[in-house]
Amino acid sequence: METLDVKKENGIGWIYLNRPDKLNAINLKMINEIDSILKDFETDNEIRVVIFTGKGKAFCAGADISQFKELNTMTAWNFARKGRELMDYIERFMKPTIAMINGYALGGGLELAMACDFRIASEDSMLGLPEINLGIYPGFGGTQRLVRLVGKPKAMEIMMTGDRIRADEGERIGLINKVVTKESLEEETLKFAAKLLEKSPLILSILKNIILYGNDSPIVDGLNMESLGWGYVFSTEDEKEGVDAFLNKRKPNFKGK
Ligand SMILES: CC(C)(COP(=O)(O)OP(=O)(O)OC[C@H]1O[C@@H](n2cnc3c(N)ncnc32)[C@H](O)[C@@H]1OP(=O)(O)O)[C@@H](O)C(=O)NCCC(=O)NCCSC(=O)CCO
């Protein structure tokens, strides 16, 4: 991979954005490489959680601005569409995803983090959607996802001023799940991932699906999906295992079946 470093370890698929000299700015090559590695992780039964992070001092400083001079209406639209489709894929990914934010998460970098299920940030991280300062606006889903995560007034302030916020402010407004020290970032992220690894991967996928699609639907449809799915879950081996383990006072061993 030209723009990524990838590793598979103890059930976790790691995706390191790897253009540190450009603060891991996202170009078309990176979009295609993330898409390709996610397809591999999706079908690899050993991988149960995916973690995104950045090499060097940044998580990701957004889309690669050096490419912008060559863009016209058609090619810019196409680039935004490709970026957005990747973020949609990450959001709908069958397995839990975590953004381990190690520094700047700006523009497309924050949009990538927002497409993940969870965001754990080091205390020195800075977050923002500064596109307005370039005379553009967020194009990888930020205009929609930030509003849903933090509410309209804060989202409008962040996007319309382009101001950066610190990780602790991000946690306060609900954008970040957990802020930790720089030194403990990986350890804390692994601790969080370990909780997910203990659960049934099958039931986690179903639950994620219901939360996401339900959130985009009228509540009556979301509630209906919930109860239908709840019934379905009782036909799985993992439900039998979980209940049996509880009743017999032992730890469950979920198989994802
Ligand atoms: C993140 C900032 C504040 C860091 O500033 P600083 O520490 O001073 O580091 P720099 O010298 O600025 O950056 C080092 C190196 O990386 C290049 N770079 C940084 N960001 C980008 C980028 N987004 N695209 C391309 N290249 C980038 C920078 O040019 C330097 O390269 P040299 O060759 O050494 O000159 C600061 O870098 C910053 O503000 N970056 C831009 C953040 C931004 O506006 N992001 C939004 C992009 S648009 C977008 O994401 C559309 C999708 O919605």
Side-chain angles (χ1 to χ4, degrees), residues 26-29 64-71 79:
I26 302 172
N27 56 18
L28 203 50
K29 183 90 188 157
D64 190 334
I65 302 168
S66 68
Q67 299 185 334
F68 286 8
K69 282 208 147 198
E70 283 122 54
L71 297 181
F79 180 59

Side-chain angles (χ1 to χ4, degrees), residues 138-157:
F140 292 172
T143 60
Q144 306 304 305
R145 286 198 178 92
L146 187 63
V147 177
R148 283 162 176 75
L149 282 169
V150 306
K152 194 170 88 168
K154 259 293 161 200
M156 288 187 101
E157 182 185 327

Side-chain angles (χ1 to χ4, degrees), residues 19-23 25-26 57 61-66 68 79 104 106-109 111 129-131 134 136-141 164:
R19 299 184 72 211
D21 51 328
K22 296 290 169 202
L23 305 187
I26 302 172
K57 74 170 183 177
D64 190 334
I65 302 168
S66 68
F68 286 8
F79 180 59
Y104 291 113
L106 300 176
E111 290 172 298
L129 293 176
E131 286 89 339
L134 300 167
I136 60 171
Y137 62 81
F140 292 172
R164 300 197 282 257

Side-chain angles (χ1 to χ4, degrees), residues 22 54 84-85 88 90 96 182 201 232:
K22 296 290 169 202
R84 184 190 46 95
E85 281 171 359
D88 291 351
I90 294 171
K182 194 180 164 126
Y232 170 73

Side-chain angles (χ1 to χ4, degrees), residues 53 59 99-105 113 119-122 125 127 176 185:
T53 192
F59 175 74
M100 182 173 107
I101 302 176
N102 58 309
Y104 291 113
R119 287 156 290 285
I120 300 180
S122 63
S125 297
L127 320 166
I176 296 294
L185 178 63

